[in-house]
Amino acid sequence: EAAVGMAADGADKTQSWYPTKGRGMPYVGDTGVHAGVLLMDLAKLRRAQVQLKPMASTAARAWGYAISRGEHDLFNIVLSKMQHLVHILPCWANARKDTCGHCEGELVV
């Protein structure tokens, strides 16, 4: 059961940062996720006994300077180990035209 919702980092693997420039960094789904839109059901995370803060600290120590996209990288590293908890929103939900200009259902802001 999903406890976290995040937008896909791109429309496909050719546009997304993680498959093309991620240098082996683990990521969620086919393209990675972007933290611009972050939905969390804290009750579900607690029930699943997910403790994001210590997991993010461990990831930060392990990946060090390879983390160039801040929280985006940390969420991808941490959530890549529990992808069953993640609902990936379409990339247009993040309202980023740089990696999602041709997505169907494009968000108008």
Side-chain angles (χ1 to χ4, degrees):
E1 183 176 21
V4 177
M6 297 177 78
D9 192 56
D12 58 49
K13 287 183 176 189
T14 63
Q15 290 184 315
S16 176
W17 190 87
Y18 292 96
T20 59
K21 300 176 188 133
R23 298 179 307 262
M25 186 175 290
Y27 55 91
V28 177
D30 292 334
T31 64
V33 289
H34 194 275
V37 173
L38 175 59
L39 309 169
M40 300 175 97
D41 186 327
L42 299 177
K44 287 181 184 177
L45 287 171
R46 287 185 195 108
R47 280 195 302 272
Q49 298 181 349
V50 174
Q51 296 185 6
L52 292 174
K53 186 175 179 180
M55 295 171 86
S57 294
T58 300
R61 281 192 303 276
W63 285 88
Y65 290 110
I67 294 175
S68 62
R69 299 179 80 204
E71 73 278 10
H72 310 293
D73 290 347
L74 288 173
F75 273 109
N76 274 284
I77 294 167
V78 169
L79 295 174
S80 70
K81 296 178 177 101
M82 54 187 112
Q83 296 196 32
H84 64 285
L85 293 177
V86 182
H87 175 75
I88 300 175
L89 303 167
C91 62
W92 58 260
N94 208 23
R96 291 181 61 218
K97 292 205 178 248
D98 59 333
T99 60
C100 198
H102 68 274
C103 285
E104 290 183 31
E106 196 168 320
L107 182 65
V108 177
V109 181

